Every structure is written in C-alpha cells, then in structure tokens.
Amino acid sequence: MSTLDPRIMELLEQVLSASMSIDDACMRHPDLAAELRRRFESTNSLETQLNEVFPSVVEAHHENTLRRHVGTLPDIPGYMIENVVGAGGMGVVYLARHIRLNRPVAIKMLLAGGYASQQDRERFKREAEAIAAICHPNVVQVFDAGECDGHPYYVMEYIEGGTLAQKLDGHPRSSRSAAADVATLARAVHAAHACGVMHRDLKPGNILVTADGALKVADFGLARRSNDMGAMTHIATWGAWMGTPCYMAPEQASGAARDFAPMSDIYSLGTILYELLTGRPPLRGENAAETLRQVMTQDPVPPQRLNPSTSRDVQTICMKCLQKDPLRRYGSAADLADDLDRFLRGDAIHARPVGVLERSVKWCRRKPAVATGVALATVLLCVLIAVGVWWQHAEESRRTRQLIRQEGARSAIAATLPLAENLRKGEQWADAAGLLSTARAQLIEAASPALESQLEDAEKSLELARELDRIRRSFPDSAESGYTYFPARDAYHEAFERVGIGRNVAFTQAVERVGQSPLRDVLLPALDYAAFTEVFSGDNTERVRLLSLAREVDADSWQRRFRDPAAWKDLTTLQQLVRDARDAEKSPSVHQLVIIALCLSNLGDNHAALQILQDAQVDNPSDFWLNIEMGNALNRAGRGGEAVQYFRTAVALRPTHYVALTALGTTLVRNDMSEAAIAPLRRAIAIEPGYKTSWQNLLMALTNLERWDDAHQASRDALRALPDAPELASSGDWIDLRRARLLAERGEWALAANLYACVVAGHYRDDGEVWFELACARLLRGDVEGYKTTCRAMLTRTELPALRGFLVARACTLSPLSRDELRRAAEIGSAELESAAQLSWLLTVQGAVAYRMGDAQTASAKFEHSIAVAPTEDGAPTNWCWLALARSQQGDAAGAASALQTAVTWFANHPSKPDAIHLHDWLEAIIMVREANRSIGSDSTK
C-alpha cells in the first residue's frame, strides 16, 4: 500500500551515512537514480529548514548509520564484537572473534530487527541460506546464524584483503593473470549453480581478496535459488531489474530473466574478465538508464582495442561470454573455466576452433616464398575487381548505410518504449521522460510513422500519469480556511476531460475507455480520489458517477464494495470494510484507508477512524495526508501530545505547507509546549502571512511564555499583514487583558488595575467580565473611589448586551454604594438573577444584594442555600465570607466567627489561586474575607 518505494529510503540512508556516493548506491538499482538524487537534494535543502524549526528532530533523523552502531555494539553469545567494518541501508557488518575457536569472523546483522518488513527479513534469510548451501573454497563460508534482541544475523568468515574492485582500481592485468582469476571464479560460480543458487550480482565489488591473494565470491543479497518461488514472486513485484547495470546480463536489464538462468551469471563473469583485461566495464552510459539501454542494444568494443596486449584467445572467450543471446554463451560456468584452462596450457580453445584461415596462415609460415607469390597475385586480382565494381556499388553502399542507420534508430526506439513504460510504472518520471526525449531525437533517422505514433502515445501516457500523481500528492492543499480539496477536484476534472472520461461523456463510453486504457492502473485510484474531493463540493451526482465508473472496470469484490456510493455514509458498512481489508484480493491503497477513516470520523466513530489510520501508518509512514489525519484524529481523541509527532512528520514531508506548520504549532501550544511552538508558527507566517490562524496561535504561545513585548510586536505585524481581519483587530488589548489577569492571580493589583483600565477603554468597552475584574482590582489596591467610578460606569452601560445584568449587580455589591445605586444594580440584574434561582452563584449574588440593602436575614438564607446547593464548588469560600458578614449583622457573633474561620481555613490551604476556581470567585473571595476580617474583628481569624 505504500506510495514510496522502500528501496529509496534504504539507498538514501546509505548515501546520508556517507557509506557511498549516489552513483555507487544506484549501481544496483539504476531505475531509482533520478528519484534518489532528487530526494538527496531535497533532504539537504530540508535539513537547514528543519534545524530552524525543530533541530532535534533533524539531528535524530540524519544520524550517521555507522556512528549509531559504533557505540552500541551488540552482545551475541559466543562472540566478542570488536568494531563495525561496514554499514548500509539494510544491515551492518561487525568484526568479531569466535571466543571458543579464537578466530576472527564477520557478523552481518539486519538493522531494523523487529521493525523490518517481511520483505527485508526474507531477503536477509535467503542471502544466508544461499551462501550456506554452497561448499567451495572460493565462496565466502557461513558458520552460524541466529537472532540477537530481535535482530537476525549470520556469521561468516572474515576476509581482510578488501575487494577485487579495490585491487584492480582501473588498471588492466595481463591476459594470463585475468584468465587464471576468472577461471577460479567460474568454478566457484559453477559450484553455486550446482547447489541451485544463482548469484545475479557478480562484479569486482562483490569479489573478496584474502591476505594471500585468493579470490572468494561474496554478497549473495540478490541471489535466487532454483526452488525459491516465493522469492521470485517477491522480486517480480519489485520490477524488472535486479543487479548492477554495468555487469548485468541483457535479459536482466530488460526484465525478461524471471526464471533460474545461470547463463546470466556467465555474462557477469565475462564483464569481470573484460574489466580485468581493460581496466573498465564493457558498457557504461552517462546514467543508469543509458547504461541499461546499451546493455540491451549495443555490443562492447573488443578488449584488444583498449589493451593491444590482450591475447586473441582470451578476447574470444570474453566476447563469447558477452553474447546478447544466452544460448550463444558457454553452457555452464564449468565450460568457461575449462576453456580458460586450455588457454593457460597453450591448447586450442573451444570458443574459437582452428579454421581454414588459421590453417592457411600456418601453411604460409612453412612455405613463405610460394605464399608471397600467391599473396601478390591475390592482391592484384582484388585491386582489379575493386576498381571494376566500385562505381556499381557506390550508390548501393550509400543506400545500405542509410538503411543500417534507419534500422538502428528503429531498433533503439523500439527498445526504449518498454523501458520507458517500466520507468513510468515505477514513477521514475524524469528517467522515463529522458528516454522518450532521446527516442524522439531518433525519429527523423527512423522514418517510421508507426513508431512515431507509438512514441506520441507513450509521451501522452507519461504526461497524464505524471499529472495524476501530482494531483494526488497535492491534497490536502493549504487555504485561508485550513485544508482544501477544491484545487485537486478541479485538476481531476480537467485531466478526465483530456483523457475522454469527463462528466459530459456517455457512461458506457467512459467505462470502455478506462478499461482499455494503458493507464488503467493509475486511472482507477484517480477516480477514487476525485470522488472523495466531491464530498466537500456537495456534488453527490458526480461522486456517484466517478465511483460507479471505477466499479464497472474493477471486478475485485472489496474494491466494488468500497466504491458503493452508499457505503461512504453507512457506519456498519464502513466498519465491515475495515474488517475485510486484510483479506482482500487486492490490498486497499493508503488513500482508500484514509477515506474510510475520514468517513468513520464524520459518522461519529473517531475511535475506529484512529485505529485504521494507525494500522495504515505502520506500512506508510511517509504519506503526508495520512500523517495529517493521524494528528487530527489524535487531537479529537484528546491525545495532543501524541499528535505532535505526526504533524512533525507531515512538516518534514512538506516543509512549505503552512497549514501543516500551523497545525503543529497549535497542537504544541495546547499541550503546554509553547516554546517549541514558536518556530513552526513563525515559519508558517513567513510562507503565508495572510493565514490568521498562525498569528492567533503565535500570540497565544508568546503570552503563555509572558513574552509581552514580543507578543505586542507580533500583534502589530499581524495587523499590517491582515488589516481587515476582525479577529486580530483587538489582539493588542487581548494581550494586555491576559497579562492583567495573570497579575491579578499573583496579587499585583496596581499593575493589573492599570491594564484593565486600558482594555476597557479599547476593544473591551462592552465586556462585563473585564469591567467586573477592573472593579475588583481597583478595590483590592485600595482605590475605593476608582471602584465606585467603575460601578457607576457599568450602571450607565446597561444597553450593552455583553455587560450582563448579574455582573453589574455582583460588581456593585463588592463594597458599599448608595442605596439608589444598589437599587439600580438590583433592577438591572433582576431578570437574570430570577431566571435560574437554584444556581449557587446566582443565589450568592441575590444574598449579596440583600445584605447591602440591610436585609441580613434574607441574605443569610440565600448564602446558606447556595452552600447547600454546592458545598464544594468554587464559590464556597465566598459564600462563607458573605455568611459571616450576614450573621454578624444579625448579632450572631459565634456563627459569624465560625463561618469566617471556615473561609480563612480554605485560604490557608490555598495560598495561591487553584486552577479549579474561577478568577471572579477568587477575586471576590479575597475582597470579602478582607471585609469580614475588618467587620468582625476576630484576632483568631487574622
């Protein structure tokens, strides 16, 4: 289900760990070269950005593979691990010592261990089994295998002399030395073939050299066994090419070698012999794709042209190994070794039996005088014949050369088309486009309308497939309101119109075109994605048409059930689809799973949605859309701390997606990680200053950290970027209000009162809660006149809905006012105070009004009723203070002292404002306990 080839991540890790260059990493997988180079450059560019946003994540991601394992050597029973001698994307090789036998060994271990895919574990197992099956002195031997802490490993002999490629280093060898070395290797390869093992990646880099110069075949990572049908199936899903282009047989390069074919290894032995003779491989293009094309269509230059000292017999043996047709090579590796031995002994080789010409040459050497006469006569005769026929054959020669060039161009184009199609299916867009461009340059020479038509079809198919892939990777896109799918929806409509399956095309005709299209494999998922974008447009007719079109073409049972338009709105059907997904004949794509999860979430089953997203994410950790929805689902489940890692992954995949950056910053703010939130939020603003959600959460993070100056500067910047955004117009006053409330919680009344006064003069002029807090702050700082001024201002603003009548009444009872003002406050708050008389906080305000009006008996009843309704609520200490005052007014000194003592005890247990209590209750409680202390005058409660 993954949309990212796992080999890309393996090769990228090798390059990033500095274990090899990009060219060396792609020698085995040339089809990945362009994508690997693009991702390597993207990674280097991304590293700088990520260091700014969250450097700890980048450092952890790019830690050198070799460095990770030098300091953490495994503990394998029976072996003493000494150091790391090599590491790659799949495994690491340790130099160890077998304790009991006291000898050095090499231990290869699979790095991913328990997290490795089944594919990697099977490949690792096959490599060990392939080597162990062969018993030959020139094949690296396996001594042991096992598992350590979930990491499979196997033990093999340690070869300290390096590789043949290192020894050769571009310098040719003598014909006899080269023949002797390849004869040794051929016998080892024949032993492997006899055991049913085909190496498939023979090259100088996989030939180890012992200290005494002996050669040993190693690295059976791509080996295939004659009875390993499972491996064959697995490799078939990877693609056509397995091996290194320069040393790969033509049938491997074209993808035709799917069975056990030992003659492919004979070709590779020929390439090794060629490089020993000349110092370079037989064929090598400017890039991997060009090398593959040469391997399939061109013959190598004979070794004598590059190294004149090469023996003709050895050249003949070498060129026989390099025949394009496998049947024209040696029948076995043993036959190759025998022919090389004949050369070394001075016998006639079988690859070139002595013919008439050679026998004639030997006769000429025995009778030079007669031979000279015959030669002169022959030369004279040839000159006369040549002069006689030259004029007749001149035009014919020209036409022949033209035909040869034409046929060569046609053959090259014909060979390019299937190779480009394979690259297209592997999503290697740049390589496929490059091959087609090269083929188009040969059209004039080929002069073939049929090939020109085929090439145009291939170019159109590549362009459409590339466009559909771009659309799929684009959503969810960024927008002012957050994520959007509408650009993708419009792009799909345009693409479907071009391919002839748009909404104006007859349904039966569209079905026929999709079913017969060479792009059927990309059109079917595109119809799914396009249908999903219609969910947000509200065009149910088009959604039904797209899903029905895909259902008619794809007969798979699970896929047809998924594409039932009604299924997306039925909770039971979706849940059954999830249960049946693992057993489906054709595995659902990751985007189909995301679609199901979003539909489940829309139907209220966020738990099931989260489960399917988690399962899909295990196999597709690098899918942007999947990581975004995982973060959203976890936030909906109240698991914001876990959501952070998925938003971070999404940002790493799309560093310029400002909505994803904002989602990361917002989640960090909401989970008390405001310091970490600032960098991604500022990065989002730098990309898109017009996205107000980024500004709002940046202000929240800065005020959480009490960075008031920075917050005000950010507020001014936000207003410049979004001068018409009403949500940001009051941001400066909002910052001061947050600061005022924090100061009030800390008891810094003077500063708090000044800030409250500023905000009620600005954007909070009609906010009753802020007016109430201003009244409290002024009263607590000892500014009684300022408090009265505040209350009178509230009494004159009763036409403002946000002021709320009960808040006016509550503020005016905090300290004595005139009876007229109290009566006015009571009238303003009466409607709200009487609407829900059983609420504890309304009972408290009613009691406070009665107390200030001199009705202590009614006040006591209200306070006692409020305490009875909510004895442990936030307002409890306030009620006890009020009750103490009311009882004192009634002459109940003991009751007053008891009530006050209860309040004082509560304050002793809560020296600072607890999170559970509302700020208003906290401020009122402090005011009332002060008044009760002054009024009752009990020393025991001071």
Side-chain angles (χ1 to χ4, degrees):
M1 294 188 293
S2 175
T3 59
L4 177 63
D5 194 319
R7 297 173 294 168
I8 287 289
M9 300 308 296
E10 177 179 324
L11 295 176
L12 184 59
E13 182 178 351
Q14 295 178 28
V15 174
L16 292 174
S17 67
S19 61
M20 61 175 65
S21 67
I22 291 180
D23 290 337
D24 290 339
C26 292
M27 291 297 287
R28 181 174 295 173
H29 305 295
D31 54 316
L32 304 179
E35 181 66 7
L36 178 62
R37 183 170 285 104
R38 186 183 70 78
R39 289 185 175 276
F40 178 75
E41 293 170 356
S42 176
T43 300
N44 282 341
S45 174
L46 177 60
E47 184 172 354
T48 301
Q49 300 175 11
L50 292 183
N51 276 330
E52 177 187 349
V53 178
F54 21 76
S56 61
V57 176
V58 178
E59 293 168 4
H61 178 71
H62 290 293
E63 185 65 24
N64 181 303
T65 302
L66 188 58
R67 192 176 299 157
R68 284 202 306 267
H69 293 276
V70 168
T72 56
L73 299 177
D75 185 11
I76 301 177
Y79 300 91
M80 179 182 295
I81 309 300
E82 295 182 359
N83 56 49
V84 176
V85 296
M90 179 178 175
V92 61
V93 180
Y94 299 97
L95 171 61
R97 181 164 295 277
H98 191 289
I99 297 174
R100 182 170 294 180
L101 299 178
N102 192 26
R103 68 175 177 183
V105 295
I107 298 179
K108 185 170 185 178
M109 177 176 287
L110 183 63
L111 285 182
Y115 297 98
S117 65
Q118 186 63 27
Q119 166 187 319
D120 287 341
R121 296 179 71 91
E122 287 297 322
R123 176 180 170 188
F124 191 85
K125 176 184 176 184
R126 286 198 305 274
E127 179 179 1
E129 291 177 348
I131 303 175
I134 307 167
C135 183
H136 192 276
N138 295 105
V139 176
V140 173
Q141 298 298 297
V142 170
F143 301 137
D144 191 11
E147 188 168 301
C148 176
D149 294 332
H151 295 269
Y153 70 88
Y154 63 86
V155 183
M156 54 187 174
E157 64 178 316
Y158 175 65
I159 309 299
E160 66 276 25
T163 67
L164 180 59
Q166 295 168 336
K167 300 295 183 184
L168 184 58
D169 195 25
H171 300 293
R173 295 187 177 181
S174 68
S175 297
R176 295 189 64 81
S177 173
D181 286 345
V182 175
T184 300
L185 297 175
R187 291 191 182 88
V189 171
H190 179 71
H193 291 172
C195 295
V197 177
M198 188 175 76
H199 192 284
R200 299 203 303 165
D201 196 20
L202 289 169
K203 59 182 179 181
N206 287 341
I207 308 300
L208 301 182
V209 183
T210 65
D212 58 1
L215 304 181
K216 288 181 177 283
V217 180
D219 196 351
F220 282 72
L222 300 182
R224 175 183 290 172
R225 303 190 69 175
S226 59
N227 60 349
D228 194 357
M229 297 306 294
M232 292 163 65
T233 301
H234 169 71
I235 290 168
T237 64
W238 261 28
W241 310 301
M242 297 294 288
T244 306
C246 295
Y247 308 94
M248 190 185 297
E251 60 269 22
Q252 285 179 278
S254 65
R258 298 184 181 275
D259 298 320
F260 186 82
M263 284 175 287
S264 296
D265 282 350
I266 293 173
Y267 183 98
S268 298
L269 287 170
T271 65
I272 296 174
L273 178 57
Y274 190 104
E275 187 164 352
L276 288 171
L277 294 171
T278 66
R280 49 157 286 181
L283 297 166
R284 172 176 284 176
E286 294 182 357
N287 52 51
E290 177 61 18
T291 301
L292 288 171
R293 191 188 68 77
Q294 290 183 12
V295 168
M296 290 187 291
T297 62
Q298 294 185 13
D299 291 323
V301 174
Q304 279 187 337
R305 294 190 188 177
L306 302 176
N307 182 6
S309 65
T310 301
S311 165
R312 184 182 177 188
D313 282 350
V314 176
Q315 173 176 279
T316 303
I317 293 172
C318 180
M319 298 305 287
K320 181 177 179 67
C321 294
L322 299 178
Q323 290 290 329
K324 303 293 185 192
D325 184 357
L327 298 179
R328 297 182 65 185
R329 302 173 199 152
Y330 285 96
S332 68
D335 292 343
L336 169 60
D338 291 342
D339 227 8
L340 289 169
D341 286 342
R342 292 185 186 91
F343 162 76
L344 293 171
R345 293 194 302 268
D347 297 336
I349 61 174
H350 287 171
R352 186 180 60 83
V354 178
V356 174
L357 180 59
E358 186 169 347
R359 286 196 296 270
S360 298
V361 171
K362 292 181 179 180
W363 177 81
C364 291
R365 289 175 180 172
R366 291 196 300 270
K367 299 181 179 181
V370 177
T372 301
V374 173
L376 290 173
T378 301
V379 170
L380 179 60
L381 178 62
C382 289
V383 170
L384 292 174
I385 293 174
V387 172
V389 302
W390 182 80
W391 291 104
Q392 298 178 12
H393 288 281
E395 183 62 21
E396 182 179 352
S397 297
R398 187 191 65 79
R399 288 196 301 270
T400 300
R401 288 194 298 271
Q402 181 180 355
L403 288 173
I404 291 173
R405 291 195 300 270
Q406 184 182 74
E407 187 59 32
R410 291 179 177 180
S411 297
I413 295 173
T416 295
L417 290 174
L419 185 59
E421 176 64 9
N422 281 337
L423 289 169
R424 195 274 299 169
K425 290 181 178 179
E427 298 183 0
Q428 308 301 312
W429 314 114
D431 286 346
L435 282 178
L436 293 179
S437 177
T438 301
R440 176 158 289 282
Q442 297 173 311
L443 272 178
I444 296 178
E445 195 75 59
S448 171
L451 283 175
E452 183 174 7
S453 177
Q454 294 178 35
L455 183 59
E456 288 178 355
D457 291 342
E459 290 172 335
K460 291 178 181 178
S461 295
L462 176 63
E463 180 184 0
L464 180 61
R466 196 170 188 173
E467 173 65 9
L468 292 176
D469 179 73
R470 184 200 65 76
I471 299 171
R472 174 177 63 85
R473 295 179 185 276
S474 70
F475 64 77
D477 205 350
S478 301
E480 182 179 351
S481 59
Y483 304 113
T484 177
Y485 297 90
F486 290 119
R489 170 180 175 261
D490 297 340
Y492 273 128
H493 283 176
E494 294 178 6
F496 292 159
E497 289 291 341
R498 290 202 305 272
V499 82
I501 60 172
R503 64 180 67 194
N504 297 324
V505 177
F507 184 76
T508 55
Q509 189 176 10
V511 170
E512 182 179 355
R513 286 176 178 173
V514 173
Q516 295 178 358
S517 173
L519 293 177
R520 181 178 182 271
D521 59 318
V522 296
L523 285 174
L524 284 175
L527 290 169
D528 292 338
Y529 308 144
F532 176 74
T533 64
E534 296 295 347
V535 172
F536 302 93
S537 71
D539 190 349
N540 193 56
T541 301
E542 179 63 6
R543 182 178 72 90
V544 171
R545 187 188 77 87
L546 294 169
L547 291 175
S548 300
L549 178 55
R551 289 186 77 201
E552 289 297 320
V553 177
D554 194 345
D556 179 82
S557 173
W558 191 96
Q559 296 289 334
R560 288 180 61 82
R561 290 162 54 205
F562 167 78
R563 290 168 177 146
D564 181 356
W568 290 20
K569 298 181 179 180
D570 185 82
L571 182 61
T572 303
T573 302
L574 290 170
Q575 291 170 339
Q576 187 62 45
L577 279 171
V578 173
R579 289 191 290 270
D580 295 343
R582 295 185 182 275
D583 299 325
E585 179 182 349
K586 181 165 52 178
S587 297
S589 72
V590 58
H591 287 76
Q592 287 176 324
L593 297 177
V594 176
I595 290 171
I596 291 176
L598 291 178
C599 291
L600 285 169
S601 181
N602 289 337
L603 294 172
D605 192 352
N606 188 63
H607 176 75
L610 184 57
Q611 184 61 52
I612 193 171
L613 289 171
Q614 287 175 325
D615 292 343
Q617 207 273 340
V618 171
D619 296 325
N620 303 273
S622 299
D623 186 277
F624 174 79
W625 192 21
L626 180 55
N627 279 283
I628 284 291
E629 294 306 335
M630 271 292 297
N632 291 335
L634 287 167
N635 271 337
R636 286 193 295 270
R639 295 159 60 182
E642 298 176 55
V644 168
Q645 61 177 316
Y646 295 101
F647 286 129
R648 278 180 170 157
T649 301
V651 169
L653 293 168
R654 290 198 199 171
T656 60
H657 200 290
Y658 61 86
V659 178
L661 282 160
T662 302
L664 171 60
T666 302
T667 304
L668 288 168
V669 170
R670 292 175 180 173
N671 288 272
D672 299 326
M673 292 182 278
S674 294
E675 188 68 49
I678 291 175
L681 289 170
R682 288 196 183 278
R683 176 64 179 155
I685 290 168
I687 296 170
E688 178 48 68
Y691 189 44
K692 61 178 176 289
T693 306
S694 305
W695 289 107
Q696 290 170 327
N697 283 280
L698 176 62
L699 294 176
M700 181 68 72
L702 291 171
T703 54
N704 286 347
L705 297 170
E706 300 183 37
R707 291 167 56 176
W708 311 112
D709 291 341
D710 291 342
H712 276 292
Q713 182 60 52
S715 172
R716 291 189 289 271
D717 293 341
L719 289 173
R720 280 194 292 271
L722 293 163
D724 299 325
E727 298 90 343
L728 297 173
S730 61
S731 58
D733 285 342
W734 176 83
I735 294 168
D736 287 338
L737 178 59
R738 289 209 73 192
R739 186 178 184 185
R741 285 173 170 167
L742 183 62
L743 291 169
E745 290 182 9
R746 295 174 178 172
E748 299 182 41
W749 314 118
L751 291 175
N754 291 336
L755 287 171
Y756 277 125
C758 291
V759 298
V760 297
H763 289 85
Y764 291 88
R765 62 179 61 88
D766 62 344
D767 192 314
E769 292 194 359
V770 181
W771 278 99
F772 178 82
E773 292 164 25
L774 171 60
C776 292
R778 282 178 167 171
L779 195 57
L780 287 167
R781 71 178 290 188
D783 184 5
V784 177
E785 288 304 316
Y787 160 74
K788 292 179 179 180
T789 300
T790 303
C791 291
R792 289 162 187 158
M794 293 177 73
L795 290 170
T796 61
R797 285 173 168 78
T798 55
E799 75 282 357
L800 302 175
L803 206 58
R804 296 191 64 180
F806 99 92
L807 284 172
V808 176
R810 186 178 187 184
C812 291
T813 59
L814 294 174
S815 185
L817 294 177
S818 69
R819 292 189 66 82
D820 289 340
E821 290 171 333
L822 284 171
R823 188 177 298 107
R824 176 63 179 150
E827 291 174 356
I828 293 172
S830 60
E832 193 169 3
L833 292 174
E834 295 171 2
S835 63
Q838 299 303 311
L839 294 177
S840 63
W841 52 277
L842 287 178
L843 289 167
T844 302
V845 178
Q846 292 172 1
V849 172
Y851 173 78
R852 292 302 183 194
M853 295 294 289
D855 188 354
Q857 183 176 357
T858 299
S860 294
K862 294 289 185 180
F863 297 138
E864 289 171 355
H865 189 185
S866 178
I867 293 172
V869 170
T872 60
E873 293 270 334
D874 298 344
T878 307
N879 279 320
W880 287 109
C881 292
W882 277 113
L883 183 59
L885 289 169
R887 285 177 175 174
S888 177
Q889 195 177 70
Q890 289 177 295
D892 183 3
S898 175
L900 180 57
Q901 184 60 50
T902 302
V904 171
T905 301
W906 187 92
F907 274 101
N909 294 330
H910 301 84
S912 59
K913 187 184 88 65
D915 293 336
I917 192 169
H918 192 280
L919 178 61
H920 292 185
D921 295 323
W922 172 254
L923 295 174
E924 184 175 1
I926 296 174
I927 292 170
M928 300 321 300
V929 79
R930 285 185 179 182
E931 183 175 347
N933 271 318
R934 289 194 303 270
S935 176
I936 297 171
S938 174
D939 293 337
S940 62
T941 60
K942 289 183 180 178

